[in-house]
Amino acid sequence: MPDWAYHPFFRPVLFRLPAETGRRVTIELLAFQARVPGGPVLFEALARSRVPAQLRTRFVGLDFPSPVGLAAGIDVDGRAAVLMQKLGFGFLELGPLGALATGAARATSPVRLREVHGIAMHPQRGAPAASEVLEHLPELDVPVGVEVRGDDLAGAVACAAERAAFVTLPCEAAGASPARLRELRAATERPLLLKVSAGWDDGRVDAAVAHAAEAGVDGAFVVAGSANHVHRTGEVISSAALARALEVTARVRDRIPVALSGGVLTPEDGLAAWSAGARLIALSNGFVYAGPGLPQRINRRLVAPERASPAINGTNGAHAVVAPRRDEAVAESSAAERTGRVLLSAASCALLLIGAGYLLLAFTAKLLPNDTAYLGMSVAELCRLDDCRVVQFISHDCAVYGGICLANGTLWTWIVRAPLRRREPWAWWTLVIATGVLVLGFLSFLGYGYFDTVHAAILAGVVGCASAGLWLTRGVARRSSPLRALVAQATPAWLWSPAGRGRLLLLGLATALVAGGSSIVAIATTRVFVPEDTEFLRLSGEQVRAIDPQLVPVMAHDRAEFGAGLLLFGVLVAATAWNGVRPRSRGLLIALGVAGMMHFTAAFVAHSLIGYLDVVHLFPVYWGATVLLLALALLRGPVARPAAPDAFPDV
């Protein structure tokens, strides 16, 4: 199922607003779409969440299309049930509902506790009347259960049983006597389930299950509530309680049919629940925090349980390409490889020095001697033209090129010192591509016939060092083919997890950098100027050529250099985002932050100092800086606190 189809609309509302407000807003939005002509059809087409036939499950005499369902407390009155059933659920549990409607107080509203990915459910929170809710419930394709609540449990059970496929008693009913449970059992012929809290000790769990079995209760729902996490508004249903809930499930499964409610946060959690003996898995806090794609992801995981070993709350089940440990990788390096890394480091240092030199030239309003010799005029003479705007324009091109050189040198240095030192093939192939981009960038500005000897000599030194270093470290490349090395992720992440969204933003930024750099190179080798440039210069391209025919080649040369540098930066960002972002890779985040700061700051300052502040022209700078900051903010937590050595958390 493509989570992108509806996730951006649905989950942010449910996840970010206060718990009860977020739930109501989300349910109202879904209910509205369900009433709009064609709304359910469109939702189903976008969700594409058909349940595999092999997941059909029989539990307490009922057939369920999938063992994964929605727990009570989310869609309390079934207003969004028409759309909820299309998310891959095999059943829906409404409620809590009572024999009579009970008003909700603010003090008893559910509270979201993000530190444990939990929801605090107050035992006295409000409950609509079962008869009123079920009277307006449309016919659905999946079984519907109802959790009952209130002083008149027998009346609530009788009302719910008129339409519900099964009825669930709250945890509070587990303390009732066997006679009371028999009375509730007699109130309906529908399957009756009893909720049992995982926060109870083994003795209390055993007693509740024994009383339920004696009274003829059909099954038990183990609720992932923890005695260690009790909020002022009630017991917390959380992922932290899942391990205990699985223990309770395995403990009672041979005595009574058992299901699990809450705690499941990832597909691996769902597989672990199924392996522990839970024949139904009702999502509550996991649905809130992991989003509406979770049921279908669990369905896919249950269909292919052999993909990875079960793990709780964190691993996403995909195979990761795990890098060798740092000490092992370094020990395997030969003397030639170490020399090669020194040469590659020298190339990155050269990029940093080039960047610093160009910034110095730009902010002192100077040109290279070969530029002034080619032009046949000094900077002072150029300044007399067009109120010095031509010199300012050339200086701003030098500054942005200097900034991009610093950015490229920073990321190049990190690649050499971290992944290449660990002998990761993707790092070697990335540097091969980067070296090629350097050469193509130099060739791009030869179209105007201006051969910059100084720049050519410097570039020859950089490319020479890089080529020699790559040759000496070529043994790293033999460990994997280019395609496999560059395509395989180091650490997979679910698309809508924080790590997945951070990586997606970085890849989007890299794509924009590559497209922007390619466009600038194309412009520099054709028409040179964009409309915003001529507006700043107050001269057209023909007027610039009229001043001095050799002026345009110099300006095109600077612009082509910057475009090639931007293209190179995009390649490095894409490679590091896809292959380098992994648990404990704080160094990469620092390198990305420093590189981005150098590039975007230099671009903004250079334009600001000369008054070239056209919003359209500077929009890529604002957009790129914002995207980079958001990406780093999203990646900071998962990188520092991964779910496992080779996996990012889903939430």
Side-chain angles (χ1 to χ4, degrees), residues 220 459 472:
L459 184 64
L472 291 172

Side-chain angles (χ1 to χ4, degrees), residues 424-620:
E424 296 175 21
W426 73 267
W428 191 89
W429 288 108
T430 297
L431 293 179
V432 169
I433 296 172
T435 304
V437 172
L438 283 175
V439 174
L440 290 175
F442 175 74
L443 296 177
S444 67
F445 57 76
L446 294 180
Y448 273 92
Y450 173 39
F451 184 77
D452 184 345
T453 54
V454 174
H455 189 83
I458 294 173
L459 184 64
V462 174
V463 172
C465 274
S467 299
L470 289 170
W471 175 258
L472 291 172
T473 57
R474 65 191 184 280
V476 175
R478 298 193 185 112
R479 304 180 71 196
S480 176
S481 66
L483 184 62
R484 183 179 178 185
L486 294 173
V487 171
Q489 285 180 301
T491 305
W494 175 44
L495 178 60
W496 291 110
S497 66
R501 283 180 287 170
R503 177 179 281 153
L504 182 64
L505 287 174
L506 285 179
L507 291 175
L509 174 62
T511 302
L513 290 168
V514 170
S518 302
S519 300
I520 292 172
V521 170
I523 291 171
T525 54
T526 53
R527 56 194 175 98
V528 182
F529 303 109
V530 295
E532 293 82 9
D533 296 336
T534 55
E535 184 178 345
F536 170 77
L537 289 170
R538 300 172 184 169
L539 296 170
S540 66
E542 292 302 322
Q543 289 173 321
V544 174
R545 290 179 179 90
I547 294 173
D548 187 334
Q550 294 175 317
L551 187 57
V552 172
V554 171
M555 299 170 80
H557 150 275
D558 292 335
R559 178 144 293 186
E561 285 182 320
F562 171 64
L566 204 62
L567 175 59
L568 174 57
F569 191 42
V571 169
L572 296 179
V573 170
T576 52
W578 188 253
N579 296 287
V581 173
R582 61 181 58 178
R584 315 296 182 192
S585 59
R586 283 190 59 200
L588 173 57
L589 298 190
I590 294 172
L592 282 168
V594 171
M597 179 187 68
M598 290 176 173
H599 166 51
F600 294 118
T601 301
F604 179 75
V605 172
H607 285 80
S608 299
L609 290 178
I610 66 173
Y612 190 176
L613 296 174
D614 183 87
V615 175
V616 175
H617 190 72
L618 284 178
F619 175 76

Side-chain angles (χ1 to χ4, degrees), residues 47 91 129 145 255 260 269 288 301 361 373 434-435 446 492 508 513 546 565 622 639 642 645:
F91 67 93
R255 287 177 279 170
L260 180 73
D269 294 344
V288 172
R301 193 70 182 83
L361 286 174
T435 304
L446 294 180
L513 290 168
Y622 303 140
V639 165

Side-chain angles (χ1 to χ4, degrees), residues 268 307-308 315-320 492 646:
E268 271 54 52
R307 278 196 322 185
T315 57
N316 53 19
H319 290 296
D646 60 348

